[in-house]
Structure formats: structure tokens, C-alpha cells
Amino acid sequence: MPRILSAKPDSRLIPLPWSLPLTDWPTEHLVALPRGISRHVVRFIKVGNDVYAAKEVIEAAAVHEYRMLQELTREDTPVVEPLAVITGRRDDAGEPLMPVLITRHLDFSLPYRSLFSQGVRPDTVNRLLDAMVVLLARLHLIGFLWLDVSLSNILFRRDAGEFAAYLVDAETAEMHPSLTDGQRAHDLQIATTNLFGEFSDLEAGQLLDESLDPLALVETITSRYRDLWAELTGAEEFPGTELDRIESRVRRLNALGFDVAELDITTSPDGSQVTIQPKVVDAGHHTRRLLRLTGLDVEENQARRLLNDLDTFRFRTNQQHVDEALVAHQWLTQSFEPVTQAVPVHLRGKRDAAQIFHEVLDYRWYASQREHRDVPLLDAAWGYIHDVLEGLPDEEMDSRPLAEGARQLANPFDPSQGFMDDEGEMPEDPWEAAAEEEPEPTGVLDMAALRRRKV
């Protein structure tokens, strides 16, 4: 019997065929889901009604990555959930087999190659890069040195009009009390090198829009990261007569999705100059507020959008002076839940509930503009389901081809084996093609715009 290292043991793992290499597992134990190309053998396995990711890797690396993922989970960082390490595996002849690291499959997530294979616009590429930059900054804030930053080691989930990025590989990572500027620069250099190669690969495969240049993209990542890091940690000096800039700095960080747990404020001896510098910054400002008010646990930009709709609901019902928690309960039962419950069960695998509500709000706004009236929310929900949702690909658990006419994998369980046919035009993602009138992305890392705002 193999040994199972786990903080939350799952007895359903025991009868699985651990005496076989993952490449030889029977297909009844496997699920064909989109995933990135890996240097290791990786398979998605069915365990009851759950889906786990299994990766064969040497024991030291498996245990180290398991510990790193555990630590990131405790820090409430976007990361796949570690479940177990299976060691002591032997085949029927008694020969040793590689250990297996088990993580939980991240629902509604996609690797970058799946997104690009479906066709993405340049604006969408920018939003993917923003998500990656925010993830890297969050990791660096807690002293996490990744040492293998790449799009291949990230999963993306739709987050209102943006994307949320999740770390899926911590095999080479290190955790420190804090990172030096040199360590952060080293991680950033690794990121630019790896991403240039990945973008060049996409370009060679005609999966990258012709208007996008791999070198310009990696330079964009570097500049956005440095701008974000300066906003999160940099010192700001101003005259003592402009104390309102302290609150403005906090509000700008809130707008980026971060809370300031500790702010260092110093003044000159004569009080003419004030210097402020965030000392402890925590991500998830809007997520925590929405969770406190409604119990909904969603992505940061989804939380921001839902909170905006909650504020609109409060204004429309003339409850500005009513306790916010009471209004939030009304909004949950009268707006959010009726919309999500209107979605037929067979369509709920296409988007998570918060993303559906966000897209219904977008649909309602365009329908109201088109019809010159205030379209009721439930009418917009039914219209969205019929006009948009039914035609979208299933992102929860989908083993179908990415799109009609798309290149077919030689082995649906192992993308690293390549495609059966490398020819053909890029297919379109209905989610992209249907957004002709989509407003310009908010640009979560547009620091100049944030500083110009009266916040």
C-alpha cells in the first residue's frame, strides 16, 4: 500500500490504481479538462463527484510543493488547494514509481492556452496580464519567491470584466519573512524570460493577435508590476496642509482591491511635510466586505460589481439611512438569488453564479439602452440566458473540443502530446465575439487614472 501524506485525508483515494504510472491509468478514472503543458505527467482524476489534479514528481519536490501550497492557502492567496502526496508507490513487479501530488481542480478556471485557442482580443490579453501582475505582487507582499513565474503555472478565472489569476505550481518556490529588491527583480526577470517564450510560441502557432508583439507584452508586465508595487509599498511625501491625501492613498489602494492594515505616518519637526508609507497591505478589500454583508465568497472584481449593484439597490429602494446589513439581505433575496436561480440546472456549469449575475447586469444595461426603458432584472436574466448563456462553452467541467473547427488534441488527457492537425484558422470564443459593445476595460493597474480620481 502506498503512503498518503495529507492534512485532510480522503479515503476515496486509497482504492485508486496507484500501482500504475499515471500515463497508464484506465480512462474511467480520468477526466479530459483543459490544462497547460507541463514538464511532468499530469492527469485529472475522478474521485467520487470531485475532480482532482494528479502530478507525478520526485518525492522531495512533491512534499516541498505541498508545504508551499499549504502555506499560501493559510495566507489566503489565490492558489490551488493541496490535498495529498502519495508516496511509496510500486508497480506489480515491485519497481518504485514516482510519488503523486494531488490538488483540487479549480472550478471555472482555464489555462492560458485554452483561452488563446478559443481566440482572445488584445484587450483581453491585457486583462490576463493585469491578473498575473496582481498575483505576483500579492505573492511578493507575503515573502513568497516563486522562481518559476510563467503563464503555464497560472490558472485564470473570469472575474466580472477582468480575470483572477491562481498559482498552480510552487515546486521551486521559497518562503521568506520578506523579499529584497534583488529577489523581486530576479522573479520579475524569470517572468519576462518565460513569458517572452510563451508569447513567441503562441505567435508561431498563430494564436496571438497580429497587433501584439511578445517583447512589448513582457515590457508591459514589467512596467505594470513596478507601478503596482510602488502604489502598494512606496512612500509619499506632501505638505502638512494636504492631510486629505492620507485618506486618498488608502482609497486608491481600496480601489485596487487592497486594505491597509498598517500605515506609517511621519511628520517633519516643524510639521510642514508629511510622509506616509503602507507597511502591511492585505488583498481582498471588496471580497471581504461582500462576504461580511451577504455571505457570498467571490472574486475581487465580482465583489466590487455586486457591491455597486447593492448600492444601486439601496438608492432605488430609498434606504440610504437603513442599516447596510439589512439592505444587503434584501438585495440578496430580491436581486441576486432570483437571477441565479433562474438559470436552468444544465446551464450552471457555464459560469459561476457571481459571474452570471455580473453578465446579466451588463445585458440589462445594453437592453435598457436599446429599448429606451428600464428593463426589469428578471426579464434581463431570461434574455441573457436565451441570447448569451446557452451559446457559451461550459467552463466548469468540459471535455468537448474548445470550439467547432478547433485543433483536436492527439490525447485529450495529455495536451503535451500536441494536436492532431496544426492547420486551420483561429476559432472564436462566443464570450468574446458577443461583446462587440463591451466598454473599455477598467484597467486595474492604470495608476495615473487612479491618482487623478477624487477619492
Side-chain angles (χ1 to χ4, degrees), residues 63-93:
V63 173
H64 174 75
E65 184 168 5
Y66 176 77
R67 302 293 189 202
M68 288 290 100
L69 294 176
Q70 275 189 316
E71 196 155 353
L72 289 175
T73 301
R74 285 193 292 268
E75 293 283 352
D76 198 26
T77 306
V79 63
V80 293
E81 179 186 352
L83 296 176
V85 177
I86 313 298
T87 61
R89 300 173 63 218
R90 293 186 176 276
D91 62 19
D92 292 338

Side-chain angles (χ1 to χ4, degrees), residues 7 18 84 108 116 171 222 236 238 271 349 357 363 365 426 444:
W18 299 115
F108 300 104
F116 278 90
E171 187 179 328
T222 301
E236 181 178 352
F238 49 85
F357 190 82
Y363 182 94
W365 187 88
M426 280 180 59
V444 297

Side-chain angles (χ1 to χ4, degrees), residues 225-243:
Y225 171 86
R226 288 171 177 162
D227 285 346
L228 177 60
W229 189 260
E231 188 67 31
L232 294 176
T233 65
E236 181 178 352
E237 187 174 343
F238 49 85
T241 57
E242 300 179 11
L243 294 180

Side-chain angles (χ1 to χ4, degrees), residues 45-118:
I45 61 176
K46 291 186 292 187
V47 182
N49 293 324
D50 297 319
V51 176
Y52 296 160
K55 177 172 74 172
E56 283 185 335
V57 62
I58 62 174
E59 183 170 350
V63 173
H64 174 75
E65 184 168 5
Y66 176 77
R67 302 293 189 202
M68 288 290 100
L69 294 176
Q70 275 189 316
E71 196 155 353
L72 289 175
T73 301
R74 285 193 292 268
E75 293 283 352
D76 198 26
T77 306
V79 63
V80 293
E81 179 186 352
L83 296 176
V85 177
I86 313 298
T87 61
R89 300 173 63 218
R90 293 186 176 276
D91 62 19
D92 292 338
E95 294 298 319
L97 297 174
M98 286 259 250
V100 175
L101 172 67
I102 306 292
T103 57
R104 188 180 303 278
H105 170 61
L106 184 63
D107 289 339
F108 300 104
S109 65
L110 289 172
Y112 83 101
R113 294 191 69 88
S114 293
L115 288 165
F116 278 90
S117 295
Q118 293 172 351

